[in-house]
Amino acid sequence: NKHYHGNPGVMPLMGISSSATLFAMGCTYPLQLTKCQMQAYKGPERERPSFVGLVRAILKKDGVKGLYRGFSVNASKAIPASAIGWVSFHKLRDLYRKYLSNPQGIY
């Protein structure tokens, strides 16, 4: 059979999920950072910066690097959590299929 239909194993699942999490975080982290800064704003409401204004201010002050402030700390939490979640899901799914599934193969 030229198509693999089995489970890839723990290490490949951890690598795949970690890579996917890192990529997704890299794409969305500036939005999360900006949202958190907007929520944490303590000044007068009429002076609250807009999303675009805040992004411009971050870029002006710190450059693109400023949009990723705190990324490594968040990644050190999210990547293992994602890997554990995916491995657990696949292992539990395999156990379900082996011991609890319908004999006709309908899940």
Side-chain angles (χ1 to χ4, degrees):
N1 187 1
K2 71 179 191 173
H3 298 290
Y4 179 75
H5 294 289
N7 220 353
V10 172
M11 295 310 283
L13 276 175
M14 291 178 82
I16 292 165
S17 67
S18 298
S19 299
T21 300
L22 190 61
F23 178 77
M25 283 186 67
C27 294
T28 61
Y29 191 77
L31 298 172
Q32 179 184 344
L33 177 83
T34 307
K35 177 194 78 156
C36 288
Q37 287 190 5
M38 290 178 77
Q39 289 175 334
Y41 179 74
K42 298 284 187 199
E45 188 62 33
R46 67 183 180 284
E47 295 177 15
R48 180 184 296 271
S50 67
F51 173 78
V52 173
L54 186 55
V55 170
R56 284 183 181 151
I58 292 170
L59 289 172
K60 185 176 180 180
K61 182 180 176 200
D62 299 320
V64 174
K65 186 177 178 181
L67 293 173
Y68 289 91
R69 188 179 317 123
F71 180 83
S72 60
V73 173
N74 277 288
S76 69
K77 174 189 72 161
I79 290 173
S82 173
I84 291 166
W86 274 102
V87 169
S88 299
F89 168 78
H90 282 275
K91 293 299 177 187
L92 288 171
R93 183 192 62 187
D94 291 346
L95 287 172
Y96 174 79
R97 287 179 175 170
K98 184 174 181 178
Y99 296 109
L100 300 173
S101 68
N102 189 333
Q104 285 81 29
I106 301 170
Y107 302 115

